[in-house]
C-alpha cells in the first residue's frame, strides 16, 4: 500500500544513523569503561583515545597555535648547546682559582632541568654559574671573532704590504723611467728626428707613472686604512676587558707595527724618488713653459703661421722669426748671466730646499722610527705585563694552595679534638640513659613476673579445683552408670535370669573415679560379691516375679516349715482360694507392727499392697516376715530382693557422695 | 529342674506328684490288667487293685516330696527341749 504518512522520507535519512549510532556506541562504551570496567577503559585508551590524540588533536592544535610551537622547539636546542660549549672553553685563562672549581661540575648539570627540591641558595649558585658560563662563552665568542678578524686583517695587511712593496718598486721604476725618458727627450741631441717619438715615450712613461702612482696610492691608502682598522680593533680589544688579554693582540700589534713601518718606508722611498726626479720634472716644465712662451710669441708675431704646417714660411716671417730668435737669445743670455751671477745663491737656496726636503724626509723617517720604537715598546710592555700577570697568578695560586692546606690541617686537628670530646660526652650520657632504662625495664619486668606468678598460682588452683570437679564428675557419672545398670541390667534379654548384668565394671569404674577415697572404698567393700560377679535382679523383674511368688505363697500360706502332708497342702490351697488378699487392712508404714500376730495371709496382703504401691522395700520387709513353707517358697525371691536392696543402698550412698563432692566444687 | 527358683518348686512338686501318680496309676492299670488277664481270669479287681496301688504309691511319693521330715524332726526336738526346760 502506498505511503499514507504524509511526510516523504528523505533520501539522506540513513546518514544520520551512520553518525548517531557509532557515536552512541562509543559514548556507551566510554561510559561503561569509566564507571563499570577499567579494563574496557584501558582498551579504549589504547585503541581510540591515543591515536585520536596523536593524529587528529595535536596537528589541529599545531595549526591553530602556529608560532607558539616553533619557539618551544627552539628553546630546546639552546638548552642542549650550553653543555657542549664548556669543552671548548678549557684553553681560556681562568680569573681565580675559586671560580675554576665550580666551572667543572657545572657542565655536568645544565640549568633548565632543575630538580624540584633545590633550595634558593643552590638555585642562586646555579644561576651565577650559568651567568659566568654565559659570560665566558661570550668572551670566548668575542675572542674567536676578534682573532678571526684580526687574522684576516693581518693577512690583508700582509698581502697589501707585499702589493705595496711591489708597487713601490714599480713606482720607483716608473718614475726612473720617466725621468730617463725625459732626460733623453731633452738632452739627447743625436736623435732629433725621433724627438716626437721620444716625447711620446715620455708622455707614455708619464702616463704610466701616473697610473702606477695612482695604483700605488690606492694600494697604500687601502693598506693604511686597513692598518688603521687593525689599530682601532686592537685598541678596542685592549679596552674591552674581555679580550684584553688575548695573545693575538700582541701579534696584531706587531703586524701593525711592521705594516706601518714598511708603509712608511715605502712612502718615503717613493717620496724620495719623486723628490729626486722632481728637479728633472721641474726642469722639463720650465722647458715646456719656455717653449710655450716662445710659441705664443711666435703666434703673436706671426699669427698666421701654424707650426707643423708644410707651407713654407715667407721671408718676412723668417726674418721676424730670426729677429725674434735673436732677441730671445739675447734675452736668454742676459738671463743666463743673471743666473750665473745668482748661481751661488740659487744653489744655496736649492741646497737649502733640498736640505729642508731631506730634513722633512728625515723627520718623517725619524717619526716613523720613533713610532716604530714606541710600538715595539708598547708591545714589549704588553708582553711583560702579561707575563707578570701570569706569574702573579701562579704565585697567588701557590700561596692560596698553601693557605688552604694549612687551613685544612688545622680544621682536621680541631675536628679530631672535637670528635673525642663529643664521643666522651656521648658515651657518658648514653651509659647513664642506658642504666636508667635498664632499671626501669627491670622494675617493669619484676612487676610482670610477679603478676605472672600470681596468675600461675591462680591458674594452678583453678586447675586443681577443675581437677577435683572433673573427678567428682567422673565419680558421679560412674555412680550414675552403676545406678543405671542396677535399674536396667541387660535390657535386650527377655528371660529374667539373663537380665543379670555383673556390676563389676561399674563398681571398678566408681572405685577408679573416686581415686582412693576411704568412704568410697568402704562402701564399695559392702557391696556383696554376688553383685560383682553375677549381677543383681532389677526391681522390675522382681516385681514381675513377685506375682508368682505371692500366689504360690498364698497357696502354701498355712503350711509351716515342717512341710506337710498332701492333705495339708490341699487344705491350704482350698483356704487360699477362699481368701482374698484385698480384704485385709493394710498397716501404715510408720506404725509399729507386731509381727507375731500377723499370719501369712496378712503379711502377703501387706506386701502385695505395698508392692502395688511401688514401695519395694516395704514389700520386702513384709515378705521377710513370712513363716514356714511360704518363707521357703519366697526364699529365693527374698534373697534376690535383699541383694538388690543392699546394692542399691550402696549405689545411692555413692551417688550421694558424688553429688556432695561435686556440689562442693561447683561453688 | 529347669527353674531353680524357690517359688517354682511348689509348682514343680505338684507337677511331679500328678505325673508320678498318673504314671503309677497307669502302670498299675497295665500290671493289673496283665495280672487280670494272665492270672485272674479277666476279673476286674486286679486292675482296680493296680490302679489303686499306683495311686497310693504316687500319693505317698508326693507326700514325701512335699514334706520336709528333717525340719519336722527338728521342730519336735525343739519343742521337746522347750518342754523339758
Amino acid at each position: 500500500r502506498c505511503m499514507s504518512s504524509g511526510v516523504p522520507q528523505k533520501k539522506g535519512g540513513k546518514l544520520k544513523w551512520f553518525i548517531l549510532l557509532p557515536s552512541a556506541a562509543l559514548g556507551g562504551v566510554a561510559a561503561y569503561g569509566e564507571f563499570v570496567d577499567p579494563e574496557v577503559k584501558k582498551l579504549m585508551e589504547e585503541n581510540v583515545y591515543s591515536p585520536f590524540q596523536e593524529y587528529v588533536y595535536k596537528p589541529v592544535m599545531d595549526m591553530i597555535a602556529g608560532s607558539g610551537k616553533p619557539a618551544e622547539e627552539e628553546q630546546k636546542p639552546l638548552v642542549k648547546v650550553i653543555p657542549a660549549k664548556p669543552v671548548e672553553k678549557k684553553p681560556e685563562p681562568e680569573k681565580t682559582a675559586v671560580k675554576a672549581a665550580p666551572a667543572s661540575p657545572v657542565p655536568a648539570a645544565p640549568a633548565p632541568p632543575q630538580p624540584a627540591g633545590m633550595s634558593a641558595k643552590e638555585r642562586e649558585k646555579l644561576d651565577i654559574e650559568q651567568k659566568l658560563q654565559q659570560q665566558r662563552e661570550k668572551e670566548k665568542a668575542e675572542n674567536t671573532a676578534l682573532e678571526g678578524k684580526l687574522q684576516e686583517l693581518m693577512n690583508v695587511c700582509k698581502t697589501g704590504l707585499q702589493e705595496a712593496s711591489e708597487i713601490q718598486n714599480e713606482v720607483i721604476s716608473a718614475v726612473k723611467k720617466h725621468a730617463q725618458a725625459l732626460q733623453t727627450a731633452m738632452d739627447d741631441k743625436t736623435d732629433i728626428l725621433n724627438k716626437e717619438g721620444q716625447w711620446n715615450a715620455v708622455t707614455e712613461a708619464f702616463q704610466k707613472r701616473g697610473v702606477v702612482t695612482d695604483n700605488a696610492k690606492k694600494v697604500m691608502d687601502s693598506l693604511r686604512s686597513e692598518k688603521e682598522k687593525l689599530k682601532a680593533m686592537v685598541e678596542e680589544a685592549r679596552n674591552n676587558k674581555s679580550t684584553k688579554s688575548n695573545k693575538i693582540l700582541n701579534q696584531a700589534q706587531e703586524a701593525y707595527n711592521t705594516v706601518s713601518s714598511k708603509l712608511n718606508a715605502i712612502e718615503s722611498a717613493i717620496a724620495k724618488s719623486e723628490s729626486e726626479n722632481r728637479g728633472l720634472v721641474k726642469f722639463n716644465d720650465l722647458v715646456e713653459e719656455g717653449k710655450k712662451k716662445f710659441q705664443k710669441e711666435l703666434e703673436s708675431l706671426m699669427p698666421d703661421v701654424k707650426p707643423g704646417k708644410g707651407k713654407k714660411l715667407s721671408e718676412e716671417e723668417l726674418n721676424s722669426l730670426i729677429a725674434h730668435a735673436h732677441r730671445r737669445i739675447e734675452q736668454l743670455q742676459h738671463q743666463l748671466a743673471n743666473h750665473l751671477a745668482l748661481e751661488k745663491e740659487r744653489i744655496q737656496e736649492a741646497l737649502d730646499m733640498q736640505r729642508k726636503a731631506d730634513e722633512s724626509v728625515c723627520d718623517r723617517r725619524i717619526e716613523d722610527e720613533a713610532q716604530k720604537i714606541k710600538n715595539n715598546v708598547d708591545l714589549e710592555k704588553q708582553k711583560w705585563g702579561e707575563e707578570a700577570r701570569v706569574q702573579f697568578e701562579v704565585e697567588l695560586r701557590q700561596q692560596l694552595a698553601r693557605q688552604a692546606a694549612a687551613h685544612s690541617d688545622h680544621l682536621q686537628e680541631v675536628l679530631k679534638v672535637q670528635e673525642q670530646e663529643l664521643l666522651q660526652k656521648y658515651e657518658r650520657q648514653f651509659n647513664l640513659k642506658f642504666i636508667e632504662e635498664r632499671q626501669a625495664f627491670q622494675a617493669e619486668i619484676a612487676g610482670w613476673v610477679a603478676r605472672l606468678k600470681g596468675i600461675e598460682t591462680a591458674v594452678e588452683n583453678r586447675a586443681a579445683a577443675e581437677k577435683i570437679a572433673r573427678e567428682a564428675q567422673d565419680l558421679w557419672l560412674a555412680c550414675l552408670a552403676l545406678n543405671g545398670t542396677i535399674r536396667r541390667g541387660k535390657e535386650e534379654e527377655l528371660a529374667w535370669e539373663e537380665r543379670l548384668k555383673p556390676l563389676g565394671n561399674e563398681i571398678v569404674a566408681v572405685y577408679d573415679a573416686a581415686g582412693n577415697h576411704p568412704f568410697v572404698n568402704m562402701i564399695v567393700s559392702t557391696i556383696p560379691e554376688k553383685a560383682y560377679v553375677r549381677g543383681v535382679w532389677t526391681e522390675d523383674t522382681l516385681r514381675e516375679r513377685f506375682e508368682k511368688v505371692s500366689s504360690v505363697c498364698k497357696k502354701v500360706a498355712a503350711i509351716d516349715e515342717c512341710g506337710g502332708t498332701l492333705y495339708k497342702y490341699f487344705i491350704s490351697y482350698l483356704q487360699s482360694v477362699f481368701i482374698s488378699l484385698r480384704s485385709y487392712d493394710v498397716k501404715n508404714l510408720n506404725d509399729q507392727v507386731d509381727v507375731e500376730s500377723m499370719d501369712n495371709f496378712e503379711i502377703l496382703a501387706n506386701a502385695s499392697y505395698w508392692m502395688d504401691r511401688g514401695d519395694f522395700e516395704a514389700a520386702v520387709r513384709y515378705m521377710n516376715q513370712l513363716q514356714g513353707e511360704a518363707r521357703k517358697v519366697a526364699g529365693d525371691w527374698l534373697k534376690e530382693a535383699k541383694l538388690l536392696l543392699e546394692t542399691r543402698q550402696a549405689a545411692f550412698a555413692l551417688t550421694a557422695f558424688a553429688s556432695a563432692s561435686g556440689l562442693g566444687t561447683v561453688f | 529342674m529347669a527353674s531353680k527358683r524357690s517359688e517354682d518348686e511348689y509348682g514343680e512338686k505338684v507337677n511331679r506328684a500328678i505325673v508320678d501318680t498318673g504314671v503309677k496309676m497307669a502302670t498299675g492299670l497295665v500290671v493289673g490288667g496283665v495280672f487280670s488277664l494272665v492270672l485272674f481270669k479277666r476279673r476286674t479287681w486286679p486292675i482296680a487293685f493296680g490302679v489303686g496301688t499306683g495311686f497310693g504309691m504316687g500319693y505317698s511319693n508326693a507326700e514325701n516330696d512335699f514334706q520336709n521330715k528333717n525340719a519336722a524332726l527338728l521342730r519336735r526336738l525343739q519343742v521337746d527341749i522347750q518342754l523339758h526346760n
Side-chain angles (χ1 to χ4, degrees), chain A residues 26 36 39 50 82 88 118 143 145 163 256 294 357 455 520 562:
Chain A
L26 266 178
V36 179
E39 298 277 335
S50 18
I82 286 172
E88 304 173 22
M118 250 194 194
N143 276 331
E163 251 187 71
Y256 170 74
F294 189 61
I455 289 171
V520 169
C562 305

Side-chain angles (χ1 to χ4, degrees), chain B residues 17-63:
Chain B
I18 292 170
V19 163
D20 201 31
T21 309
V23 163
K24 285 188 168 62
M25 277 169 74
T27 316
L29 182 82
V30 165
V31 168
V34 164
F35 269 106
S36 155
L37 273 173
V38 169
L39 287 175
F40 298 109
K41 294 168 200 160
R42 295 207 182 175
R43 302 220 192 185
T44 52
W45 62 268
I47 299 172
F49 183 74
V51 172
T53 317
F55 175 76
M57 282 200 286
Y59 183 86
S60 152
N61 274 350
E63 200 165 315

Side-chain angles (χ1 to χ4, degrees), chain A residues 129-152:
Chain A
E129 284 172 0
Q130 269 178 49
K131 279 193 195 131
L132 273 174
Q133 208 168 331
Q134 280 172 5
Q135 208 178 23
R136 259 182 237 127
E137 280 145 22
K138 204 171 68 177
E139 285 177 19
K140 182 73 188 166
E142 281 182 19
N143 276 331
T144 43
L146 185 72
E147 279 176 22
K149 277 192 225 161
L150 286 175
Q151 201 74 26
E152 224 186 281

Side-chain angles (χ1 to χ4, degrees), chain A residues 249-415:
Chain A
L249 291 177
N250 290 338
Q251 283 181 7
Q253 191 86 4
E254 277 185 47
Y256 170 74
N257 291 347
T258 48
V259 163
S260 61
S261 65
K262 278 220 175 89
L263 197 63
N264 290 339
I266 288 168
E267 277 184 1
S268 54
I270 291 175
K272 187 165 145 202
S273 67
E274 277 191 357
S275 72
E276 278 177 5
N277 294 315
R278 201 177 298 130
L280 204 60
V281 170
K282 252 196 203 151
F283 181 62
N284 186 29
D285 285 342
L286 281 171
V287 165
E288 287 285 333
E289 228 186 278
K291 275 199 189 150
K292 280 209 178 70
K293 249 198 215 163
F294 189 61
Q295 202 84 5
K296 268 196 208 141
E297 283 173 11
L298 270 181
E299 275 184 19
S300 69
L301 276 175
M302 295 173 297
D304 305 325
V305 179
K306 309 271 181 306
K309 225 162 175 195
K311 200 161 134 196
K312 279 251 185 224
L313 296 167
S314 63
E315 255 181 70
E316 268 183 34
E317 283 168 355
L318 275 167
N319 287 340
S320 62
L321 188 66
I322 289 165
H324 181 74
H326 276 292
R327 236 185 284 132
R328 191 86 179 122
I329 289 167
E330 268 179 61
Q331 198 193 10
L332 285 170
Q333 276 177 343
H334 196 65
Q335 234 178 359
L336 192 63
N338 255 353
H339 276 290
L340 279 170
L342 298 171
E343 196 184 313
K344 241 193 195 158
E345 286 179 26
R346 292 268 168 82
I347 284 173
Q348 200 73 29
E349 272 183 42
L351 277 173
D352 283 338
M353 265 178 60
Q354 192 65 25
R355 203 179 299 132
K356 276 194 191 118
D358 282 345
E359 268 184 17
S360 72
V361 167
C362 207
D363 282 339
R364 258 186 78 185
R365 268 202 64 190
I366 287 171
E367 259 183 49
D368 289 342
E369 290 292 313
Q371 191 73 19
K372 200 165 148 189
I373 286 172
K374 198 166 107 176
N375 287 342
N376 279 345
V377 163
D378 278 340
L379 199 67
E380 287 285 322
K381 197 166 86 169
Q382 289 283 340
K383 276 194 194 146
W384 286 354
E386 273 180 28
E387 276 177 33
R389 218 177 291 136
V390 166
Q391 205 165 4
F392 175 66
E393 275 288 325
V394 167
E395 268 189 40
L396 185 70
R397 275 212 203 122
Q398 278 179 355
Q399 294 295 342
L400 280 174
R402 233 178 269 161
Q403 243 188 15
H407 182 67
S408 76
D409 282 342
H410 176 68
L411 268 179
Q412 255 186 359
E413 279 177 27
V414 168
L415 277 171

Side-chain angles (χ1 to χ4, degrees), chain A residues 155-222:
Chain A
N155 290 341
V156 164
C157 289
K158 244 188 224 143
T159 49
L161 204 63
Q162 272 183 343
E163 251 187 71
S165 62
E166 281 173 15
I167 286 208
Q168 171 207 16
N169 293 337
E170 271 183 34
V171 164
I172 288 175
S173 66
V175 166
K176 271 209 180 93
K177 264 200 194 135
H178 180 237
Q180 268 183 3
L182 205 56
Q183 191 93 14
T184 50
M186 287 200 303
D187 296 339
D188 193 9
K189 299 202 179 24
T190 55
D191 204 3
I192 293 180
L193 289 168
N194 210 12
K195 221 24 136 186
E196 267 200 53
Q198 284 179 343
W199 284 115
N200 282 342
V202 167
T203 44
E204 259 184 56
F206 185 65
Q207 276 175 359
K208 202 167 157 201
R209 173 185 162 173
V211 162
V212 170
T213 316
D214 283 340
N215 225 9
K217 235 198 189 92
K218 267 190 227 155
V219 167
M220 285 203 289
D221 279 340
S222 74

